[in-house]
Coordinates of all heavy atoms in Angstrom, one line a residue:
M1 N 2.1 -12.1 5.6 CA 0.8 -11.6 5.3 C 0.4 -12.4 3.9 O 1.1 -12.5 3.0 CB 0.7 -10.1 5.1 CG -0.6 -9.5 4.7 SD -0.5 -7.7 4.3 CE -0.6 -7.2 6.1
D2 N -0.9 -12.8 3.8 CA -1.4 -13.6 2.6 C -1.6 -12.5 1.6 O -1.8 -11.3 1.8 CB -2.6 -14.5 2.9 CG -3.8 -13.7 3.2 OD1 -4.2 -12.8 2.6 OD2 -4.3 -13.9 4.3
F3 N -1.6 -13.0 0.4 CA -1.8 -12.1 -0.8 C -3.1 -11.3 -0.8 O -3.0 -10.1 -1.0 CB -1.8 -13.0 -2.1 CG -1.9 -12.2 -3.4 CD1 -0.8 -11.5 -4.0 CD2 -3.2 -12.0 -3.9 CE1 -1.0 -10.8 -5.0 CE2 -3.3 -11.3 -5.0 CZ -2.2 -10.7 -5.6
E4 N -4.2 -11.8 -0.4 CA -5.4 -11.2 -0.5 C -5.4 -10.0 0.6 O -5.9 -8.9 0.3 CB -6.6 -12.1 -0.2 CG -6.8 -13.0 -1.4 CD -5.8 -14.2 -1.5 OE1 -5.1 -14.4 -0.5 OE2 -5.9 -14.9 -2.4
S5 N -4.8 -10.3 1.7 CA -4.7 -9.2 2.8 C -3.9 -8.1 2.4 O -4.2 -6.9 2.6 CB -4.3 -9.8 4.1 OG -5.2 -10.8 4.7
A6 N -2.7 -8.5 1.8 CA -1.7 -7.5 1.4 C -2.3 -6.5 0.2 O -2.2 -5.4 0.3 CB -0.4 -8.1 0.8
L7 N -3.0 -7.2 -0.7 CA -3.7 -6.5 -1.8 C -4.7 -5.5 -1.4 O -4.8 -4.4 -1.7 CB -4.2 -7.4 -2.9 CG -4.7 -6.8 -4.1 CD1 -3.6 -5.9 -4.8 CD2 -5.3 -7.8 -5.0
A8 N -5.6 -6.0 -0.3 CA -6.6 -5.2 0.2 C -6.0 -4.0 0.9 O -6.6 -2.8 0.7 CB -7.5 -6.1 1.2
R9 N -5.0 -4.2 1.7 CA -4.4 -3.1 2.4 C -3.8 -2.1 1.5 O -3.9 -0.9 1.6 CB -3.3 -3.6 3.3 CG -2.6 -2.6 4.0 CD -3.4 -1.6 5.0 NE -2.7 -0.7 5.6 CZ -3.1 0.6 5.9 NH1 -4.4 0.8 5.8 NH2 -2.4 1.5 6.5
L10 N -3.1 -2.7 0.3 CA -2.6 -1.8 -0.6 C -3.6 -0.9 -1.4 O -3.4 0.2 -1.6 CB -1.8 -2.6 -1.7 CG -1.0 -1.9 -2.8 CD1 -0.1 -0.9 -2.2 CD2 -0.4 -2.9 -3.7
E11 N -4.7 -1.5 -1.7 CA -5.8 -0.8 -2.4 C -6.3 0.3 -1.4 O -6.6 1.4 -1.8 CB -7.0 -1.7 -2.7 CG -6.6 -2.7 -3.9 CD -7.5 -3.6 -4.2 OE1 -8.4 -4.0 -3.3 OE2 -7.5 -4.2 -5.3
K12 N -6.4 0.0 0.0 CA -6.9 1.0 0.9 C -5.9 2.1 0.9 O -6.3 3.4 1.0 CB -7.1 0.3 2.2 CG -7.6 1.3 3.3 CD -7.9 0.6 4.7 CE -8.5 1.7 5.5 NZ -8.5 1.3 7.0
L13 N -4.6 1.9 0.9 CA -3.6 3.0 1.0 C -3.7 3.9 -0.1 O -3.6 5.1 -0.1 CB -2.2 2.4 1.1 CG -1.9 1.7 2.5 CD1 -0.4 1.1 2.3 CD2 -1.7 2.8 3.5
V14 N -3.9 3.3 -1.3 CA -4.0 4.1 -2.6 C -5.1 4.9 -2.5 O -5.1 6.1 -2.9 CB -4.0 3.1 -3.8 CG1 -4.3 4.0 -5.1 CG2 -2.6 2.5 -4.0
D15 N -6.2 4.4 -2.1 CA -7.5 5.2 -2.0 C -7.3 6.3 -1.0 O -7.8 7.4 -1.3 CB -8.7 4.2 -1.5 CG -10.0 5.0 -1.5 OD1 -10.4 5.5 -2.6 OD2 -10.7 5.1 -0.4
E16 N -6.7 6.1 0.2 CA -6.5 7.2 1.1 C -5.5 8.2 0.5 O -5.9 9.5 0.8 CB -5.8 6.6 2.4 CG -6.6 5.7 3.2 CD -6.0 5.1 4.4 OE1 -4.7 5.2 4.5 OE2 -6.6 4.3 5.1
M17 N -4.6 7.8 -0.2 CA -3.6 8.9 -0.8 C -4.3 9.6 -1.9 O -3.9 10.9 -2.0 CB -2.4 8.0 -1.3 CG -1.5 7.4 -0.2 SD -0.2 6.4 -0.9 CE 0.9 7.7 -1.6
E18 N -5.3 9.0 -2.6 CA -5.9 9.9 -3.7 C -7.0 10.7 -3.2 O -7.3 11.8 -3.7 CB -6.5 8.8 -4.6 CG -5.4 8.1 -5.5 CD -6.1 7.1 -6.5 OE1 -7.2 6.7 -6.2 OE2 -5.3 6.6 -7.3
R19 N -7.6 10.3 -2.0 CA -8.9 11.0 -1.6 C -8.7 11.9 -0.5 O -9.3 12.9 -0.3 CB -9.9 10.0 -1.2 CG -10.5 9.1 -2.3 CD -11.6 8.2 -1.8 NE -12.0 7.3 -2.8 CZ -13.0 7.6 -3.7 NH1 -13.6 8.7 -3.6 NH2 -13.3 6.6 -4.6
E20 N -7.7 11.6 0.3 CA -7.4 12.5 1.5 C -6.4 13.6 1.2 O -5.4 13.4 0.5 CB -7.1 11.7 2.7 CG -8.2 10.7 3.1 CD -7.9 9.8 4.3 OE1 -6.9 10.2 5.1 OE2 -8.5 8.7 4.4
N21 N -6.5 14.7 1.9 CA -5.5 15.7 1.8 C -4.6 15.5 3.0 O -4.7 16.1 4.1 CB -6.2 17.1 1.9 CG -5.2 18.2 1.7 OD1 -4.1 18.0 1.1 ND2 -5.6 19.4 2.1
L22 N -3.5 14.6 2.8 CA -2.6 14.3 3.8 C -1.4 15.1 3.9 O -0.8 15.5 2.8 CB -2.3 12.8 3.7 CG -3.5 11.8 3.7 CD1 -3.0 10.5 3.3 CD2 -3.9 11.7 5.2
P23 N -0.8 15.2 5.0 CA 0.5 15.9 5.2 C 1.6 15.1 4.3 O 1.5 13.8 4.3 CB 0.7 16.0 6.6 CG -0.4 15.7 7.4 CD -1.3 14.9 6.3
L24 N 2.6 15.7 4.0 CA 3.7 15.0 3.2 C 4.3 13.8 4.1 O 4.4 12.8 3.4 CB 4.8 16.0 2.9 CG 5.9 15.4 2.0 CD1 5.5 14.9 0.7 CD2 7.0 16.4 1.9
D25 N 4.5 14.0 5.3 CA 5.0 12.9 6.1 C 4.0 11.6 6.1 O 4.6 10.5 6.0 CB 5.2 13.3 7.6 CG 6.5 14.2 7.7 OD1 7.3 14.2 6.8 OD2 6.6 14.9 8.7
D26 N 2.7 11.9 6.2 CA 1.7 10.7 6.1 C 1.8 10.1 4.7 O 1.8 8.8 4.6 CB 0.4 11.3 6.5 CG 0.2 11.7 7.9 OD1 1.1 11.3 8.7 OD2 -0.8 12.3 8.3
L27 N 1.9 10.9 3.7 CA 1.9 10.4 2.3 C 3.2 9.5 2.2 O 3.0 8.4 1.6 CB 2.0 11.6 1.3 CG 0.6 12.2 1.1 CD1 0.9 13.4 0.2 CD2 -0.4 11.3 0.4
L28 N 4.3 10.0 2.6 CA 5.5 9.2 2.6 C 5.4 7.8 3.4 O 5.8 6.9 2.9 CB 6.7 10.0 3.0 CG 7.1 11.3 2.0 CD1 8.2 12.1 2.7 CD2 7.5 10.7 0.8
A29 N 4.8 8.0 4.5 CA 4.8 6.7 5.2 C 3.9 5.7 4.5 O 4.1 4.5 4.5 CB 4.1 7.1 6.6
R30 N 2.7 6.2 4.0 CA 1.8 5.3 3.3 C 2.5 4.7 2.0 O 2.3 3.7 1.6 CB 0.5 6.1 2.8 CG -0.5 6.1 4.0 CD -1.6 7.1 3.7 NE -2.7 7.0 4.8 CZ -2.6 7.7 5.9 NH1 -1.5 8.3 6.2 NH2 -3.5 7.7 6.8
Y31 N 3.3 5.6 1.3 CA 4.1 5.1 0.2 C 5.0 4.0 0.4 O 5.0 3.0 -0.2 CB 4.7 6.3 -0.5 CG 5.5 5.9 -1.7 CD1 4.9 5.8 -2.9 CD2 6.9 5.7 -1.7 CE1 5.6 5.5 -4.1 CE2 7.7 5.3 -2.7 CZ 7.0 5.2 -4.0 OH 7.7 4.8 -5.1
K32 N 5.7 4.2 1.6 CA 6.8 3.2 2.0 C 5.9 1.9 2.4 O 6.3 0.9 2.0 CB 7.4 3.6 3.2 CG 8.5 2.6 3.7 CD 9.2 3.0 5.1 CE 10.2 2.0 5.5 NZ 9.7 0.6 5.5
E33 N 4.9 2.0 3.1 CA 4.2 0.8 3.4 C 3.6 0.2 2.2 O 3.6 -1.1 1.9 CB 2.9 1.2 4.3 CG 2.0 -0.1 4.8 CD 0.9 0.2 5.7 OE1 0.8 1.4 6.1 OE2 0.1 -0.7 5.9
G34 N 3.1 1.0 1.1 CA 2.6 0.4 -0.1 C 3.6 -0.3 -0.8 O 3.4 -1.4 -1.4
M35 N 4.8 0.3 -0.8 CA 6.0 -0.5 -1.5 C 6.3 -1.8 -0.8 O 6.6 -2.8 -1.5 CB 7.3 0.4 -1.6 CG 7.0 1.7 -2.5 SD 6.5 1.3 -4.2 CE 8.0 0.4 -4.8
D36 N 6.3 -1.9 0.4 CA 6.4 -3.1 1.2 C 5.4 -4.2 0.9 O 5.6 -5.3 0.6 CB 6.5 -2.8 2.7 CG 7.6 -2.1 3.1 OD1 8.7 -2.0 2.4 OD2 7.6 -1.5 4.3
L37 N 4.2 -3.7 0.8 CA 3.1 -4.5 0.4 C 3.2 -5.0 -1.0 O 2.9 -6.2 -1.4 CB 1.7 -3.8 0.6 CG 1.3 -3.5 2.0 CD1 0.2 -2.5 2.1 CD2 0.8 -4.8 2.7
L38 N 3.6 -4.2 -1.9 CA 3.8 -4.5 -3.3 C 4.9 -5.7 -3.4 O 4.7 -6.6 -4.2 CB 4.2 -3.3 -4.1 CG 4.4 -3.5 -5.6 CD1 3.1 -4.0 -6.2 CD2 4.9 -2.2 -6.2
R39 N 5.9 -5.6 -2.6 CA 7.0 -6.6 -2.6 C 6.4 -7.9 -2.2 O 6.8 -9.0 -2.6 CB 8.2 -6.2 -1.7 CG 9.2 -5.2 -2.4 CD 10.4 -5.0 -1.4 NE 10.9 -3.7 -1.6 CZ 10.5 -2.5 -1.2 NH1 9.5 -2.5 -0.4 NH2 11.2 -1.4 -1.3
I40 N 5.5 -7.8 -1.1 CA 4.9 -9.0 -0.6 C 4.0 -9.7 -1.7 O 4.2 -10.9 -1.9 CB 4.1 -8.8 0.7 CG1 5.0 -8.5 1.8 CG2 3.1 -10.0 1.0 CD1 4.4 -8.0 3.0
C41 N 3.3 -8.9 -2.3 CA 2.4 -9.5 -3.4 C 3.2 -10.0 -4.5 O 2.9 -11.1 -5.0 CB 1.4 -8.3 -3.9 SG 0.2 -7.8 -2.8
R42 N 4.2 -9.2 -5.0 CA 5.1 -9.8 -6.1 C 5.7 -11.1 -5.8 O 5.8 -12.0 -6.6 CB 6.1 -8.6 -6.4 CG 7.2 -9.1 -7.5 CD 6.7 -9.7 -8.8 NE 5.8 -8.7 -9.5 CZ 5.0 -9.2 -10.5 NH1 5.3 -10.4 -11.0 NH2 4.2 -8.3 -11.1
A43 N 6.2 -11.2 -4.6 CA 6.9 -12.4 -4.2 C 5.9 -13.6 -4.2 O 6.3 -14.7 -4.7 CB 7.5 -12.3 -2.7
Q44 N 4.6 -13.3 -3.7 CA 3.7 -14.5 -3.7 C 3.3 -14.8 -5.2 O 3.1 -16.0 -5.4 CB 2.6 -14.1 -2.9 CG 3.0 -14.1 -1.4 CD 1.9 -13.7 -0.4 OE1 0.7 -14.0 -0.7 NE2 2.2 -13.5 0.8
L45 N 3.2 -13.8 -6.0 CA 2.8 -14.0 -7.4 C 4.0 -14.9 -8.1 O 3.6 -15.7 -8.9 CB 2.5 -12.8 -8.1 CG 1.1 -12.1 -7.8 CD1 1.1 -10.8 -8.4 CD2 0.0 -13.0 -8.1
D46 N 5.1 -14.5 -7.9 CA 6.3 -15.1 -8.4 C 6.3 -16.6 -8.0 O 6.5 -17.5 -8.8 CB 7.6 -14.5 -8.0 CG 7.8 -13.0 -8.8 OD1 7.0 -12.8 -9.7 OD2 8.7 -12.4 -8.4
A47 N 6.0 -16.8 -6.6 CA 6.0 -18.2 -6.2 C 5.0 -19.0 -6.8 O 5.1 -20.2 -7.1 CB 6.0 -18.1 -4.6

């Protein structure tokens, strides 16, 4: 995934987590996806 796409998806996940009243399982799934996206962004920034 390119940096811009990963960052856009990460921003969307954060927004969903802040605005929506989600069940814990959904929050955890979004958190995990967000951490994966963060790793992608960090690796590309480091490169």
Side-chain angles (χ1 to χ4, degrees):
M1 181 181 279
D2 64 56
F3 178 82
E4 291 77 11
S5 297
L7 184 59
R9 177 63 184 149
L10 183 57
E11 289 172 343
K12 183 178 180 186
L13 285 173
V14 170
D15 185 57
E16 289 173 0
M17 291 172 71
E18 290 178 343
R19 295 182 184 269
E20 296 179 24
N21 188 16
L22 298 170
L24 182 59
D25 287 343
D26 290 347
L27 285 171
L28 291 173
R30 282 172 173 77
Y31 180 82
K32 182 185 179 315
E33 182 181 354
M35 292 305 294
D36 291 342
L37 291 164
L38 187 59
R39 281 187 208 76
I40 291 169
C41 289
R42 172 52 57 191
Q44 291 184 18
L45 287 172
D46 289 346

